[in-house]
Amino acid sequence: MKVLVIGSGGREHAIVNSIRNSRHNPEVYCAPGNGGISDEARAVDIKASDVKGLLEFALENKIDLTVVGPEIPLSLGIADEFNENGLRIFGPGKKASLLESSKEFSKDFLNRNGIRTADYKVFTCFDAANDFASKKPHPIVIKASGLAAGKGVFIPETPGDSKIILDKIFNKKIFGESGDTVVIEDFLKGFELSYMVVTDGISYKPLVTSMDYKKIFDGGRGENTGGMGAITPNPFVSGSLEDKIKKEIIEKTLGAMRKEGIKYKGVLYAGVMIDGDNINVLEFNVRFGDPETQAILIRLKSDIVDLFDSVIDERLGDFDIEFDDNKSVCLVMASGGYPGKYDTGYEISFEGLPKNNDKKYFIFHAGTKKKGGKYFTDGGRVLNICVKGKTRDITTKAYEIAGKIDFKNKYFRKDIGKELT
Ligand code: AMP
Ligand code: GLY
């Protein structure tokens, strides 16, 4: 069996790793992959956004199953293209992917289906947006509607700041077409969490709960990033809160998708804000979260290929997703300067790593490349150190490993996992 994974980050490395553990003993390909993935899968030099190129490759090489990591190919309709050509693919189609690729679509969808979300208004020109913003009590939340690599959300404190942001989006076009439409919404307070399920469009199965660390600095300070670490389980999610999220957000969303005739097969990731009894949706992602997935998949006991097959064949209701009863942590090692400007091309040294006979830790590569048998930094987030075990000592272990890995300007937060009990 041949499996193709699309993407090039730590999430894709973790997916490749799980696929290699499958009883189907698959031949694994990854497009475009990275330095670490190329040790475990055949690297295919096609960009994740090149849907036509990926389709041709999959047809020519008779790929049996394709798994999509990032949102861009999904938003471009890769799942529809593959399905139309008789190829099996894990990930939602273009219409369903609008939940992530268009904040306008997603807010309207929530609104018309009675699923709680912040009050909002949609704008397509600077003057009307600025007029509206200038009359609102601040802070407010300004969001570019289209995909903006996690950088399209602003929380200005004053009307003056709102004007500057709207000018950048509408007039200076900092997000290009992704900023042609802008959502302005009320600021919500509370505590934020994300929740992921796998669905075949009929039933759904939750993944273990997780928590990610979005900000660049310790204590949740500084700029937003793609994620500087993650833990499972999320210590702040009780069973009753999880039930409420399932009932009020996940089931209502999947039910509304069905009612609107939109097939949803893949991962649904809900970012929510909890304030007392109120749960509001902040955003949806239509894919596995990164780096949460790395911390989750190292605990997966079920065969991931069987899981993907059960989704594609709409038999998820009969499939049990099993996880082991460990805790896990994923520590992200980044290039100094990230999420702003940073340099790449530095050699990475892995000398002196502790023994790993029992496979309790995993080093997933994100922004790396391999040349002449050596690894070099090639992105903002470079490596993911993932450890599982029964106690919170896994955090100490992750930091011990990070201490043994070296590259110029390496940076990581020092407080990942401190919430583990
Ligand atoms: P989003 O991509 O929509 O999840 O927004 C990115 C981040 O902005 C979220 O993780 C929240 O921290 C914050 N955010 C988004 N919408 C709101 C809101 N309505 N109120 C408060 N914070 C928000
Ligand atoms: N960790 C957040 C995301 O994947 O969007």
Side-chain angles (χ1 to χ4, degrees):
M1 157 180 223
K2 293 181 178 176
V3 182
L4 169 65
V5 176
I6 296 173
S8 60
R11 167 183 54 202
E12 287 74 22
H13 195 174
I15 294 172
V16 164
N17 178 71
S18 291
I19 292 173
R20 276 165 46 92
N21 291 331
S22 164
R23 68 187 173 92
H24 300 282
N25 198 17
E27 208 175 308
V28 192
Y29 296 77
C30 188
N34 60 39
I37 292 177
S38 68
D39 293 333
E40 294 183 36
R42 292 204 201 171
V44 178
D45 189 17
I46 303 174
K47 283 204 190 103
S49 56
D50 181 0
V51 172
K52 192 162 163 278
L54 292 165
L55 177 63
E56 279 168 11
F57 174 85
L59 286 170
E60 261 168 38
N61 291 276
K62 302 197 167 38
I63 298 293
D64 298 294
L65 167 67
T66 299
V67 182
V68 189
E71 61 276 19
I72 290 188
L74 293 170
S75 74
L76 295 171
I78 193 166
D80 312 274
E81 293 274 345
F82 273 49
N83 284 327
E84 279 157 25
N85 283 275
L87 291 166
R88 294 167 69 76
I89 186 162
F90 178 83
K94 189 171 186 168
K95 190 83 199 279
S97 300
L98 285 172
L99 274 187
E100 176 167 0
S101 63
S102 166
K103 298 228 187 250
E104 178 186 22
F105 173 87
S106 132
K107 296 289 294 188
D108 290 349
F109 171 87
L110 290 165
N111 202 29
R112 70 178 170 260
N113 288 294
I115 304 167
R116 289 185 71 106
T117 190
D119 281 344
Y120 69 103
K121 239 175 126 72
V122 176
F123 296 93
T124 51
C125 77
F126 172 80
D127 287 337
N130 187 46
D131 186 51
F132 177 77
S134 68
K135 294 177 183 139
K136 292 277 287 181
H138 279 58
I140 57 169
V141 185
I142 299 180
K143 301 182 173 183
S145 178
L147 292 177
K151 300 198 168 78
V153 176
F154 300 86
I155 307 186
E157 296 285 341
T158 66
D161 291 345
S162 288
K163 186 174 180 182
I164 294 169
I165 290 158
L166 291 167
D167 178 58
K168 283 188 185 162
I169 301 177
F170 279 120
N171 302 330
K172 308 214 164 65
K173 302 225 162 277
I174 54 169
F175 299 119
E177 277 179 20
S178 284
D180 285 353
T181 301
V182 163
V183 172
I184 300 185
E185 65 181 45
D186 289 348
F187 176 78
L188 298 172
K189 57 184 177 46
F191 94 92
E192 210 181 318
L193 80 90
S194 44
Y195 193 71
M196 269 189 273
V197 302
V198 179
T199 179
D200 61 359
I202 300 160
S203 55
Y204 74 92
K205 296 279 160 87
L207 301 180
V208 286
T209 61
S210 61
M211 171 175 141
D212 74 337
Y213 296 73
K214 288 185 200 298
K215 303 281 182 180
I216 186 70
F217 298 129
D218 289 15
R221 290 173 302 109
E223 275 183 81
N224 256 333
T225 70
M228 296 303 292
I231 53 173
T232 78
N234 186 324
F236 302 106
V237 183
S238 62
S240 59
L241 177 56
E242 189 173 357
D243 286 346
K244 203 164 148 67
I245 297 171
K246 283 187 200 160
K247 224 164 96 209
E248 293 182 15
I249 309 295
I250 302 296
E251 288 167 21
K252 278 194 182 174
T253 300
L254 295 176
M257 287 305 252
R258 274 197 299 277
K259 194 183 80 197
E260 297 197 2
I262 306 172
K263 189 105 222 139
Y264 198 114
K265 288 187 181 187
V267 173
L268 177 67
Y269 171 127
V272 299
M273 188 71 94
I274 318 252
D275 185 15
D277 266 351
N278 294 333
I279 306 181
N280 278 280
V281 175
L282 293 176
E283 63 158 349
F284 286 120
N285 293 324
V286 298
R287 50 167 176 83
F288 284 113
D290 182 344
E292 298 95 313
T293 300
Q294 293 85 307
I296 292 171
L297 288 187
I298 63 172
R299 290 182 49 200
L300 180 68
K301 280 175 38 183
S302 311
D303 188 311
I304 201 168
V305 171
D306 289 340
L307 168 63
F308 293 144
D309 277 341
S310 77
V311 168
I312 293 169
D313 297 331
E314 300 178 12
R315 310 180 263 101
L316 183 65
D318 300 328
F319 188 88
D320 278 334
I321 307 191
E322 283 187 81
F323 294 92
D324 66 28
D325 58 359
N326 285 302
K327 304 170 194 293
S328 64
V329 61
C330 172
L331 169 66
V332 173
M333 299 183 71
S335 298
Y338 172 79
K341 269 177 66 153
Y342 55 84
D343 293 322
T344 59
Y346 300 124
E347 190 176 341
I348 308 169
S349 149
F350 293 97
E351 271 170 45
L353 284 179
K355 283 208 173 57
N356 194 19
N357 299 335
D358 52 357
K359 273 258 169 202
K360 284 279 172 59
Y361 80 78
F362 302 78
I363 298 176
F364 296 127
H365 288 229
T368 74
K369 68 174 171 213
K370 197 172 178 187
K371 241 180 16 201
K374 293 178 173 166
Y375 302 94
F376 297 88
T377 64
D378 194 36
R381 290 188 293 174
V382 178
L383 294 168
N384 303 154
I385 317 301
C386 298
V387 186
K388 65 176 180 173
K390 295 278 185 285
T391 68
R392 63 195 307 274
D393 291 349
I394 54 175
T395 301
T396 317
K397 175 98 174 229
Y399 280 106
E400 184 197 336
I401 295 166
K404 302 279 184 210
I405 297 176
D406 220 14
F407 55 87
K408 195 170 165 197
N409 295 344
K410 82 171 174 182
Y411 171 78
F412 50 86
R413 271 178 66 159
K414 305 292 184 298
D415 62 346
I416 304 298
K418 80 167 173 23
E419 295 82 355
L420 280 171
T421 47

